[in-house]
Amino acid sequence: MNEQLQQALMDRLVAMADDEVILGHRDSEWTGHAPILEEDIAIANIAQDELGHALIWYELAEPYTGNDADSMAFFRDARQFRNVQMVELPNGDWAFTMLRQYLFDAYEMALLTRLMTSQYAPLAEAAEKIRREEIYHFRHSSIWVERLGLGTEESHARMQRALDHLWPYALQLFRPMPLDAHLVEAGFFPDPDQLQTAWQDVVLPHLKNADLTPPDAEPIYAHRHHHTEHLVDLLADMQLVARSIPKAVW
Amino acid sequence: MSEEKTYEEKLAEFEARIQRGEKIEPGDWMPDEYRRQLIRMISQHAHSEVVGMLPEGAWIPHAPTLRRKMILIAKVQDEGGHGQYLYHAAESLGVDREELIAALLAGKAKYSNIFNYPTLTWADIGMIGWLVDGAAIKNQTMLAHSSYGPYSRAMVRICAEETFHYKQGKEMITIYAKGTPEQRQMAQDALDRWWWPALMMFGPPDSQSIHTKTLMRWKVKIKTNDQLRQEFINEIVPEFLALGLKIPDPDLHYDEETGNWVIGPIDWDEFWRVIRGNGPMNRDRLEARRRAHEEGAWVREALEAYAQRQRQASMN
């Protein structure tokens, strides 16, 4: 593997891990506060899975980053994270959280399905394992989109508002990273444009069935090293104990 | 048709079954008082699991490693699952979950006093696992032998999971007690704050416990509050001492004759004060539950509307 390909692979692995760790953290904030007990349980489960996936991606990246998963999650600042902005936004209401989860799950399903045939074997193996869990997340968030989209006038209005807010952010998922071309050429990673098409083919009809319409808005096309203020707050929460005694074993 | 049995005859049969060690099942005849006591105990237990998600959930965002974060989320998730399972057990006695939750939110139902104390550092998460879950397991292992079938079976399952929580908590405190000076101090501080509330979890002393006598006769409970408390103290004191942690009780001593660790007086005034709603976190806990319930109202309405729509669609 040449140096640029290694760098590109590391960037992507860290980006995938960062998406998962930040989304997992946000999901876990619902534990104990969900609208029904069954959903406290479900979202806690999803949060654990996402954090578990982050662990897998960080570990795959470790030979290149030289840092273990906990150093990556707890000892980098906002400027060093490579997650998309969508996952760092505060949870909002249940509609916002479920819709974000849906848009992300659909992206992950499309991505993992393609990564299963990646020419980089560790990526293919991990993708297969992760996809088995993601199928359940995707089913769970898909049904919530339908329930809330078609539920009451209020739930529909909340979902549409969430979609108006989230849609431009969701499109950031498909912005290529600077070295992606090397990955695509090596058959390590799918072409982001194709990924977007595959995602839209799933998401658009499902939203339509749920009576929801994506806004005609310009995508948030920031690079993955650009963040909102919310990530700073999130990291302050997340890194509080780890950084209080940096050399400690927990 | 056989002659209708008198209440006394039915009661005698019921008590004979319990004496023989049989389990009472939902459809079986039972005295109203037995049903009432079980609903009280099981629903309090269910509420405790649900309210108990809050003090520990508060530290999920701050967990110091990914592994600890996942373990803590899994633990709080288990508590939600226990709540769900126990509400089902209560429903087998003819009440429904909505009604029980309404009583909780109205401040009319009790839950374990321990959750009215605040979690102030990360070490509290370990101490709750070890000390608080340890005390809970002691009580629940006893209740696994309870005469009411659904409660007893719920306890068997819950104890198995609680044992994991206990081990994880003990592992954490053991690491922190041997860790950096700051970690050691955190562990000691956590023990200082949780020790007495944990001992109060076994309930008032036998001399003041209004329910114990009846509950023991019907084998809902098979040991008294004081018996369980003493067993727990005897088990856990040597373990803390072995780690070099200090028990916050100047009167604590070992009695050679009885083989018991004897503690100083428990502040029962504090216990009753917290039960009456004046602990450090009572208002906050209920408010958090109410907020989740109120803010989730539109979601539950949407669920209902959607389900109705599905039913109509399947009829057409």
Side-chain angles (χ1 to χ4, degrees):
Chain A
M1 218 186 290
N2 70 40
E3 216 170 284
Q4 270 193 319
L5 185 57
Q6 267 190 26
Q7 178 70 38
L9 179 62
M10 180 184 84
D11 289 350
R12 262 298 161 188
L13 286 169
V14 170
M16 290 194 289
D18 287 351
D19 281 346
E20 301 264 22
V21 83
I22 300 299
L23 183 60
H25 179 96
R26 280 296 185 218
D27 283 339
S28 76
E29 290 176 334
W30 275 103
T31 315
H33 307 279
I36 44 173
L37 190 52
E38 283 68 16
E39 288 304 312
D40 276 309
I41 295 169
I43 198 146
N45 201 50
I46 291 168
Q48 283 167 73
D49 286 347
E50 304 294 19
L51 294 169
H53 302 164
L55 203 57
I56 293 173
W57 298 134
Y58 281 136
E59 281 170 0
L60 278 186
E62 193 173 333
Y64 312 110
T65 61
N67 290 309
D68 66 16
D70 286 332
S71 311
M72 294 297 284
F74 296 97
F75 292 92
R76 283 181 306 151
D77 296 328
R79 290 284 288 150
Q80 297 166 290
F81 271 77
R82 293 292 176 266
N83 59 282
V84 290
Q85 294 177 5
M86 178 168 91
V87 294
E88 71 200 36
L89 299 176
N91 284 337
D93 61 9
W94 190 249
F96 187 91
T97 295
M98 281 298 117
L99 185 68
R100 169 171 61 190
Q101 190 69 37
Y102 172 72
L103 296 172
F104 188 83
D105 289 343
Y107 154 77
E108 248 203 310
M109 284 299 285
L111 174 60
L112 293 168
T113 306
R114 281 155 189 80
L115 286 180
M116 280 166 64
T117 54
S118 169
Q119 294 301 307
Y120 185 64
L123 203 49
E125 282 161 30
E128 195 188 341
K129 192 174 155 200
I130 294 174
R131 192 173 176 278
R132 263 179 260 145
E133 292 179 348
E134 272 306 320
I135 291 172
Y136 294 101
H137 299 185
F138 180 62
R139 272 188 208 150
H140 179 258
S141 59
S142 300
I143 183 82
W144 270 107
V145 167
E146 195 175 311
R147 281 167 177 164
L148 296 179
L150 302 178
T152 59
E153 211 172 298
E154 180 178 5
S155 71
H156 177 263
R158 284 175 183 262
M159 282 300 269
Q160 185 58 52
R161 193 165 72 210
L163 184 59
D164 291 345
H165 190 148
L166 279 164
W167 188 255
Y169 286 97
L171 297 174
Q172 193 199 353
L173 286 163
F174 307 101
R175 163 146 206 183
M177 293 180 74
L179 300 176
D180 268 358
H182 299 278
L183 291 176
V184 177
E185 195 190 334
F188 281 17
F189 198 84
D191 174 7
D193 280 344
Q194 284 176 15
L195 205 55
Q196 179 165 0
T197 308
W199 177 78
Q200 281 175 347
D201 286 349
V202 172
V203 164
L204 291 175
H206 189 65
L207 290 173
K208 190 160 185 246
N209 284 342
D211 199 16
L212 298 166
T213 316
D216 182 20
E218 209 167 310
I220 290 183
Y221 222 48
H223 276 296
R224 279 175 171 264
H225 56 267
H226 291 147
H227 295 286
T228 67
E229 292 162 3
H230 302 297
L231 183 63
V232 181
D233 291 341
L234 183 152
L235 293 180
D237 258 354
M238 188 168 98
Q239 300 174 336
L240 174 74
V241 177
R243 290 192 178 200
S244 68
I245 317 173
K247 294 239 161 64
V249 174
W250 296 101
Chain B
M1 211 175 119
S2 66
E3 224 172 289
E4 183 65 22
K5 287 178 186 152
T6 65
Y7 176 82
E8 282 70 24
E9 285 167 335
K10 288 187 208 163
L11 182 63
E13 246 173 59
F14 169 83
E15 293 194 337
R17 287 186 63 195
I18 288 179
Q19 282 312 313
R20 289 196 297 272
E22 287 176 32
K23 297 284 183 219
I24 306 300
E25 296 298 335
D28 298 350
W29 185 88
M30 61 186 81
D32 287 346
E33 181 61 11
Y34 180 83
R35 184 184 302 275
R36 206 165 28 243
Q37 287 291 346
L38 275 162
I39 292 173
R40 179 185 67 84
M41 284 177 67
I42 300 174
S43 62
Q44 278 183 17
H45 196 158
H47 296 328
S48 301
E49 297 282 358
V50 171
V51 176
M53 295 172 83
L54 299 171
E56 292 177 275
W59 283 84
I60 291 173
H62 313 308
T65 69
L66 290 176
R67 185 172 153 265
R68 288 279 174 227
K69 199 177 183 83
M70 288 160 73
I71 290 175
L72 182 56
I73 298 170
K75 181 181 188 215
V76 180
Q77 180 191 15
D78 282 348
E79 282 156 12
H82 298 169
Q84 199 184 22
Y85 204 54
L86 286 161
Y87 283 125
H88 282 307
E91 283 179 333
S92 74
L93 291 158
V95 283
D96 71 43
R97 180 167 124 181
E98 288 314 310
E99 171 187 345
L100 295 173
I101 290 175
L104 173 70
L105 299 181
K108 289 180 190 153
K110 289 195 185 111
Y111 55 86
S112 181
N113 241 3
I114 197 82
F115 302 120
N116 289 319
Y117 291 85
T119 45
L120 299 178
T121 75
W122 173 252
D124 286 11
I125 299 307
M127 196 54 77
I128 289 176
W130 190 4
L131 188 59
V132 173
D133 291 342
I137 290 170
K138 200 84 204 134
N139 200 26
Q140 289 167 4
T141 308
M142 183 255 311
L143 291 170
H145 299 282
S146 156
S147 60
Y148 186 57
Y151 196 25
S152 141
R153 289 188 290 274
M155 284 303 113
V156 171
R157 182 167 142 177
I158 289 172
C159 277
E161 293 185 351
E162 290 289 347
T163 304
F164 278 109
H165 304 166
Y166 170 83
K167 283 184 187 156
Q168 286 149 1
K170 188 171 173 178
E171 180 201 46
M172 286 165 76
I173 296 301
T174 304
I175 293 172
Y176 306 158
K178 296 173 179 168
T180 69
E182 296 96 326
Q183 284 178 307
R184 196 176 173 76
Q185 198 194 339
M186 275 170 82
Q188 181 62 57
D189 168 65
L191 179 56
D192 291 348
R193 284 180 291 109
W194 291 98
W195 174 253
W196 291 108
L199 295 188
M200 292 178 198
M201 283 173 69
F202 294 96
D206 297 347
S207 57
Q208 289 174 35
S209 173
I210 48 172
H211 303 299
T212 297
K213 219 172 139 194
T214 326
L215 293 177
M216 297 226 3
R217 191 159 94 119
W218 286 336
K219 294 194 182 167
V220 175
K221 285 168 81 166
I222 47 181
K223 287 178 183 170
T224 70
N225 296 352
D226 286 335
Q227 278 174 328
L228 283 171
R229 184 164 21 240
Q230 189 61 54
E231 283 180 18
F232 178 66
I233 292 168
N234 289 348
E235 284 167 26
I236 207 155
V237 164
E239 298 193 299
F240 281 128
L241 296 180
L243 286 177
L245 295 173
K246 286 198 198 71
I247 310 276
D249 176 359
D251 297 330
L252 181 78
H253 63 277
Y254 185 70
D255 184 288
E256 295 282 352
E257 229 167 90
T258 57
N260 285 332
W261 282 92
V262 182
I263 57 165
I266 292 178
D267 181 358
W268 291 111
D269 288 343
E270 174 179 317
F271 176 77
W272 294 114
R273 193 165 59 239
V274 179
I275 282 203
R276 283 194 307 268
N278 293 315
M281 295 297 287
N282 296 58
R283 287 176 186 81
D284 196 81
R285 299 287 185 239
L286 270 191
E287 194 45 39
R289 289 310 314 159
R290 283 186 196 126
R291 202 181 315 123
H293 193 77
E294 281 165 17
E295 287 174 4
W298 70 269
V299 179
R300 295 189 298 276
E301 281 160 22
L303 268 182
E304 184 46 45
Y306 178 79
Q308 210 164 346
R309 190 187 171 113
Q310 295 295 98
R311 279 194 295 274
Q312 273 166 2
S314 71
M315 271 161 33
N316 293 335

